[in-house]
Amino acid sequence: DQARNRRKRYTLPKKGLEVTLPLTITVDGLAKLLDVQNSHLMRKMANIGMDKLASDYLLTNEEAAEIALEYEVVPIIPDSTGPELYPRKFPDDMSVHPLRPPVVTIMGHVDHGKTTLLDTLRNSSITAGEAGGITQHIGAFSVQLKSGQVITFLDTPGHAAFSAMRARGANATDIVVLVVAADDGVMPQTKEAIQHALDADVPIIVAINKCDKHGVDPSRIKDDLLKHGIQTEDLGGDIQAVEISALKGTGVEELSESIVTLAEILDLRAEVDIPAQGTVIESQIERGRGNVASVLIKRGTLKVGDIIVAGTAWCKVRSMSDDRGNSVKEAGPASAVEIMGWKEIPQAGDMVLQAENEGQAKGVVDSRVEKRKNKAKLAAVEAMN
């Protein structure tokens, strides 16, 4: 039974010789393996519609299996799936799990005030937090409002990081705040940001910035956005638009409240008592600290000493720190932490999953490395042919 589980069998009309196939094999090699003549093998290939009839033509193991079946032998493809970690299935009823903070990405055209807005938000969070807290750039930070509610802002460099994460299936964001300058309007990167948000099916809040400037008309911006599929509330749509001055801080509190309101409607919840799952926001090698990666926890709780895997990297969590540089022992849903203890550097956008032990983590990483090699080999085969 175990042997059967470890390999993929192709059934035959009658039981025959078992032949184990490598990942790739030449036509000549398969003929030798099956102990048949080249010409005979090529006739079989032609019968099943294969037109590349040359001795040195490289076959994938699936093509070789198809040919082998014509000889009524049992081709065996060793199972290369190996050990793997998968995200836990979501429970049917999320309402029994606690609410979590929303994760927000600020996007918009260059010079429209994204960075200023992030700085204003970050500074409001320091003032509200403990004195002497020095912000560390870890790709995300949390803001606590007067109401006590928390918002996590992703501070990733630009749209490329957002799309890279999305392309890897890591939709880290719950809400996109689209910053549009009142004195400029919808620009190429604004359109790009709108497209990213719509493609990722993430709700949008519009922040019309630079409203303190003389002679600006925010209603013109709303009309402009309407042409690009963004229908704000006062034009009959359901997208909130908030007029702000990121530089002076006016309207920023209102923007935060709009985020909280939308988060309440989205009813964002997460399990806290399961193994941790998250996304790598950014990673680097730091002098004196080694491999460091910032991770946004999505579900579960990560603790110091836990074993995690991200892509082809694994880590025994040696230490964790938050966006103020404070050491933390555990991190729950929608919190971002900088993690030390990585054996290799993970990539931004990699999914982070907790393993039971080091053995499982190493096995999963080895299996993933092997799969990548095999994929590269198959791509090379296609290129050669």
Side-chain angles (χ1 to χ4, degrees):
D1 273 355
Q2 282 183 344
R4 199 170 292 127
N5 289 338
R6 273 203 313 271
R7 60 200 190 183
K8 194 189 289 180
R9 268 176 186 272
Y10 289 82
T11 51
L12 283 170
K14 66 175 198 237
K15 199 171 178 181
L17 173 75
E18 287 191 352
V19 179
T20 302
L21 299 169
L23 185 72
T24 59
I25 189 167
T26 60
V27 169
D28 187 46
L30 182 62
K32 287 190 174 83
L33 189 67
L34 296 174
D35 200 19
V36 296
Q37 288 184 329
N38 264 12
S39 56
H40 194 261
L41 189 92
M42 286 189 208
R43 276 205 302 278
K44 290 279 189 191
M45 288 170 68
N47 289 346
I48 55 175
M50 291 186 178
D51 53 0
K52 301 278 171 56
L53 308 175
S55 295
D56 58 353
Y57 179 75
L58 259 179
L59 301 159
T60 66
N61 52 18
E62 295 201 344
E63 289 171 330
E66 204 180 337
I67 300 160
L69 283 171
E70 291 294 303
Y71 284 96
E72 297 197 352
V73 300
V74 181
I76 294 166
I77 297 175
D79 189 0
S80 62
T81 53
E84 188 50 272
L85 283 171
Y86 298 99
R88 189 175 280 243
K89 185 176 169 286
F90 279 96
D92 295 329
D93 182 15
M94 281 302 289
S95 67
V96 299
H97 296 286
L99 287 163
R100 63 165 176 82
V103 178
V104 178
T105 300
I106 295 178
M107 300 177 85
H109 193 72
V110 68
D111 295 334
H112 277 202
K114 277 184 304 182
T115 310
T116 312
L117 178 56
L118 279 164
D119 288 344
T120 305
L121 287 160
R122 197 189 279 109
N123 292 337
S124 73
S125 122
I126 297 165
T127 320
E130 68 271 21
I134 299 165
T135 56
Q136 308 288 315
H137 180 86
I138 66 165
F141 62 91
S142 293
V143 173
Q144 185 163 16
L145 308 183
K146 286 173 187 168
S147 61
Q149 279 159 309
V150 175
I151 302 170
T152 298
F153 288 95
L154 283 187
D155 185 8
T156 50
H159 301 175
F162 184 89
S163 44
M165 283 189 185
R166 213 193 76 239
R168 303 173 89 145
N171 247 354
T173 306
D174 300 310
I175 297 166
V176 163
V177 170
L178 180 69
V179 181
V180 191
D183 62 346
D184 205 3
V186 175
M187 300 300 281
Q189 279 179 297
T190 319
K191 294 175 194 170
E192 189 184 285
I194 291 168
Q195 203 50 56
H196 280 320
L198 294 177
D199 288 350
D201 199 23
V202 175
I204 295 170
I205 293 174
V206 176
I208 302 174
N209 192 24
K210 307 188 185 181
C211 284
D212 54 320
K213 283 203 170 182
H214 182 68
V216 296
D217 180 11
S219 64
R220 181 183 68 81
I221 304 295
K222 292 171 190 175
D223 291 338
D224 210 358
L225 285 166
L226 187 60
K227 295 172 193 163
H228 296 93
I230 300 297
Q231 191 172 8
T232 55
E233 286 176 336
D234 46 1
L235 292 179
D238 57 1
I239 293 172
Q240 298 178 81
V242 185
E243 295 172 18
I244 67 163
S245 164
L247 197 61
K248 293 183 177 172
T250 48
V252 172
E253 200 172 317
E254 192 191 334
L255 174 64
S256 299
E257 295 300 340
S258 297
I259 292 168
V260 167
T261 304
L262 181 52
E264 282 171 1
I265 294 165
L266 296 172
D267 194 40
L268 304 166
R269 295 176 184 273
E271 314 97 309
V272 289
D273 53 352
I274 62 167
Q277 179 185 327
T279 302
V280 175
I281 311 168
E282 50 186 52
S283 58
Q284 64 272 332
I285 303 171
E286 284 187 17
R287 213 166 151 185
R289 298 176 78 209
N291 298 334
V292 176
S294 301
V295 171
L296 173 73
I297 306 299
K298 297 280 285 178
R299 303 165 69 193
T301 302
L302 184 67
K303 300 181 179 79
V304 170
D306 284 345
I307 313 285
I308 50 176
V309 174
T312 53
W314 71 276
C315 167
K316 181 171 184 177
V317 181
R318 198 163 75 228
S319 68
M320 295 192 285
S321 52
D322 64 14
D323 56 286
R324 310 272 162 75
N326 298 320
S327 179
V328 292
K329 293 286 178 221
E330 58 177 53
S335 60
V337 280
E338 193 171 59
I339 299 172
M340 286 172 65
W342 295 91
K343 308 298 166 193
E344 304 283 335
I345 295 187
Q347 301 296 306
D350 277 347
M351 183 185 281
V352 177
L353 291 166
Q354 190 173 332
E356 285 176 24
N357 50 49
E358 285 189 23
Q360 185 188 29
K362 287 175 184 170
V364 168
V365 165
D366 289 348
S367 167
R368 288 179 180 182
V369 168
E370 193 58 35
K371 277 183 211 163
R372 282 192 188 178
K373 282 183 189 164
N374 288 347
K375 215 171 180 182
K377 277 184 197 166
L378 289 175
V381 167
E382 281 174 23
M384 281 169 70
N385 286 333

